[in-house]
Amino acid sequence: MTRATLVWLVTVLLLLTHISVCPASAYAQDSGSGAAPAAHEAKHPPEPSIPAIGVRNTKYLDVPASAKGPPVDPAKGYRLQDLGQGLYMITDNIYQSMFLVYDRGVVVVDAPPNYATRIPQAIAEVTSRPMTHVIYSHSHSDHIGGSKSLGGHPTIIAHQETLRLLQRANDPKRPLPKLTFSERYTLRVGQQVLELSYHGDAHEPGNIFISAPAQRVLMVVDVVFPGWMPWRRFALAQDIPAYFAQVEEIRTLDWDTLVGGHVARTGTHADVDVQAEFNGDVKQAAATALVSTKPGVTLNPLDSANPWAGFDNYIDRVAGQCVNTLMPKWSTRLAGFDVYVWDQCYAMEQSLRIE
Ligand SMILES: [Zn+2]
């Protein structure tokens, strides 16, 4: 627990124990059961219409056309997208990976278990050359956990932090990289080039940028989700301020096609602009809610000696205000807005308070 959090909790405790923050009469009809009366709630901002975390949603919002990509042939289970000059994206419209063909072989970038057993078939659609290298974007098993099933003995390349995390994971499905780097590594194979670079911890330590300069393609996994809300809690970013900074960094780099590792289509600079705009809005919405929400207002006085309850009550209302603020502008602009907006607001308020 940070010093700031401790100070805050003590403040809440003092508020709850020494100040009558909620009229006792609001609970007078409640016979001390601990349940807050509905009439009391009417005095406070309405609950968002989007079900909160843990509340079952009977129908999610429709996915806008702008978030959809070309269909996947169900018989194949994957779709191949030609990115130009020997570079291809493979996707099942949920995960994305790549391979690069050069004069003597093929370099594979990531092997999501969703379809990794079909990657050799996808490669065989365009070349009979052997797989010689595998690049890991980062250590997460949902992106590289199919590596072992690719077969062969490719040279595996990754960031040194990815090696460390994989040594700890000790997962036979994710063979250890033989070649690691700390800042930059340029892979030259025949006439083809991939530039690997590390921009620090954001999603997780070791998550790298993979640039194909000739094809004007940039692959960065689990940071930007073209047309979609990021996966919950900013795609589980381990460092949210750094995650926001990486979105801005991707924005400034020179590329035409972004491979984000997820969703049904590749991304454009316009998609990254939208992501950055959303990030700015959720940050502003959470910051405003943190300031304008009063601790303890709807807390049952019977819970006044429970600082955890006071904190939970406060943060729930902060997140609710954040969700309400974002809804009008974003609910139809990003697919899956309703699925993860609560998660983003909770992650944002926490980041703003302690990071
Ligand atoms: Zn990941």
Side-chain angles (χ1 to χ4, degrees):
M1 184 180 297
T2 65
R3 184 185 176 85
T5 309
L6 188 62
V7 167
W8 196 93
L9 275 171
V10 169
T11 308
V12 170
L13 185 61
L14 288 173
L15 270 173
L16 299 179
T17 52
H18 296 295
I19 302 170
S20 178
V21 290
C22 190
S25 60
Y27 295 92
Q29 314 303 319
D30 195 36
S31 66
S33 70
H40 186 75
E41 295 296 327
K43 298 177 185 173
H44 302 289
E47 289 293 313
S49 58
I50 293 171
I53 294 167
V55 178
R56 187 76 54 89
N57 197 344
T58 52
K59 172 67 180 80
Y60 293 96
L61 294 173
D62 291 338
V63 172
S66 58
K68 293 176 180 167
V72 166
D73 176 355
K76 283 167 64 173
Y78 67 87
R79 176 172 72 78
L80 210 50
Q81 183 169 329
D82 189 347
L83 301 174
Q85 299 185 49
L87 185 63
Y88 296 84
M89 179 179 80
I90 320 173
T91 182
D92 60 356
N93 280 2
I94 299 171
Y95 281 88
Q96 300 173 348
S97 60
M98 304 197 302
F99 68 86
L100 176 68
V101 181
Y102 67 99
D103 56 2
R104 291 169 53 193
V106 175
V107 180
V108 170
V109 186
D110 281 357
N114 267 28
Y115 56 79
T117 55
R118 296 171 189 228
I119 288 176
Q121 178 191 336
I123 293 172
E125 284 190 37
V126 295
T127 182
S128 58
R129 293 170 199 164
M131 177 183 64
T132 57
H133 302 74
V134 173
I135 294 169
Y136 290 165
S137 66
H138 66 306
S139 77
H140 284 161
S141 61
D142 62 324
H143 290 276
I144 65 166
S147 302
K148 189 73 179 175
S149 67
L150 294 175
H153 300 282
T155 300
I156 301 175
I157 306 170
H159 189 265
Q160 62 190 25
E161 283 290 283
T162 298
L163 172 61
R164 177 180 66 82
L165 292 167
L166 290 176
Q167 284 169 331
R168 185 182 70 176
N170 191 27
D171 177 3
K173 292 176 181 168
R174 290 176 280 172
L176 297 180
K178 295 264 183 347
L179 202 165
T180 61
F181 65 98
S182 60
E183 297 297 325
R184 289 187 162 272
Y185 180 78
T186 302
L187 177 67
R188 294 181 195 281
V189 280
Q191 302 300 309
Q192 298 280 32
V193 172
L194 288 176
E195 290 175 351
L196 317 183
S197 57
Y198 188 49
H199 301 255
D201 177 21
H203 174 61
E204 79 149 356
N207 194 26
I208 56 173
F209 289 26
I210 300 148
S211 168
Q215 293 83 357
R216 298 188 54 76
V217 170
L218 177 68
M219 179 171 176
V220 183
V221 172
D222 287 341
V223 176
V224 173
F225 297 74
W228 286 78
M229 181 68 115
W231 181 258
R232 62 162 50 107
R233 293 183 168 261
F234 301 105
L236 305 178
Q238 292 187 16
D239 185 330
I240 288 176
Y243 167 86
F244 277 37
Q246 269 192 11
V247 173
E248 294 297 333
E249 198 169 359
I250 291 167
R251 232 176 154 186
T252 61
L253 294 175
D254 189 23
W255 49 268
D256 289 336
T257 305
L258 180 74
V259 175
H262 279 286
V263 312
R265 63 173 179 82
T266 52
T268 63
H269 271 281
D271 290 315
V272 185
D273 291 347
V274 168
Q275 175 91 61
E277 188 180 346
F278 175 75
N279 289 353
D281 283 3
V282 70
K283 188 174 180 182
Q284 184 61 54
T288 302
L290 281 166
V291 171
S292 65
T293 303
K294 290 189 175 128
V297 172
T298 61
L299 188 73
N300 189 322
L302 295 172
D303 284 324
S304 62
N306 180 346
W308 265 221
F311 190 77
D312 189 50
N313 172 285
Y314 169 71
I315 291 303
D316 281 350
R317 287 179 294 118
V318 167
Q321 183 180 322
C322 171
V323 170
N324 276 334
T325 303
L326 294 170
M327 200 146 48
K329 177 174 172 183
W330 290 100
S331 61
T332 55
R333 250 183 113 184
L334 287 177
F337 170 85
D338 53 335
V339 183
Y340 289 139
V341 65
W342 280 95
D343 286 280
Q344 317 303 14
C345 283
Y346 276 111
M348 192 73 251
E349 62 78 18
Q350 178 169 278
S351 171
L352 286 170
R353 280 186 299 102
I354 68 172
E355 287 184 323

